[in-house]
Amino acid sequence: MLMLLYGRAGWFAQFLAENGINVVFAFPGMAIATMFITLPFIVRELIPTLEQMDLAQEEAAKTLGANPLQVFWHVTLPNIRWGLVYGVILTNARAMGEFGAVSVISGNIIGRTQTLTLFVESAYKEYNSEAAFAAAVLLSCLALATLWVKDKVEQAAAAEAAK
């Protein structure tokens, strides 16, 4: 889909070329592909939180003269922050391991668009097992750090709920 939209013959190709914007085989395309794949994890966490939220607080803020931006920052965001943080942690975990979409849109150009997961694959294919295993260990350490952050966020949310 991203190639259809942003590729050389894509729908936005002429506009992007005229403005000197590279999406395919560049970082913007990798970011768009990653967001396309991972944002549902944030949505999955936010929908139940938003459904359980009492709208009376937002309505009270509006009747007290708050504009929509103030209502969001001072009422809605504090109510959904733990769901949002948890969704971002899940998104981070998924993005670290993303392979397929990023591989297609980035072209796996060494030194320019090669992510750590793409490096593991290419190093392994080139029989450079040591480099592939070292990168895989680094990814594992990042995954463990993500789990640690997730645990700390859950503890903070539980402590706040206990108050």
Side-chain angles (χ1 to χ4, degrees):
M1 181 171 152
L2 295 175
M3 295 296 275
L4 176 66
L5 294 174
Y6 304 113
R8 288 190 178 149
W11 293 353
F12 302 119
Q14 184 178 359
F15 172 78
L16 294 172
E18 289 171 359
N19 293 301
I21 301 170
N22 293 326
V23 175
V24 177
F25 307 131
F27 179 76
M30 295 167 60
I32 291 169
T34 302
M35 285 189 288
F36 183 77
I37 297 296
T38 59
L39 282 180
F41 289 98
I42 292 177
V43 172
R44 189 180 79 187
E45 293 300 320
L46 284 181
I47 287 176
T49 305
L50 288 169
E51 286 176 346
Q52 292 176 353
M53 194 172 87
D54 186 15
L55 295 178
Q57 294 175 348
E58 289 181 351
E59 291 171 1
K62 288 177 189 175
T63 59
L64 292 172
N67 64 38
L69 191 60
Q70 290 173 322
V71 171
F72 176 76
W73 282 107
H74 298 289
V75 178
T76 307
L77 190 60
N79 285 327
I80 66 169
R81 74 176 172 270
W82 294 117
L84 182 63
V85 169
Y86 196 67
V88 167
I89 291 170
L90 288 174
T91 297
N92 176 53
R94 179 66 174 97
M96 281 192 301
E98 178 52 41
F99 182 82
V102 171
S103 177
V104 169
I105 201 76
S106 75
N108 197 9
I109 302 169
I110 297 172
R112 287 194 54 218
T113 62
Q114 190 176 48
T115 63
L116 198 52
T117 52
L118 296 177
F119 173 77
V120 170
E121 187 248 353
S122 64
Y124 189 75
K125 281 184 176 178
E126 295 170 0
Y127 300 103
N128 189 356
S129 299
E130 294 84 8
F133 292 147
V137 167
L138 180 59
L139 278 170
S140 298
C141 291
L142 291 171
L144 289 173
T146 301
L147 287 173
W148 181 80
V149 169
K150 175 189 158 291
D151 185 53
K152 293 300 175 190
V153 166
E154 286 177 344
Q155 288 176 6
E160 186 176 300
K163 288 182 181 179

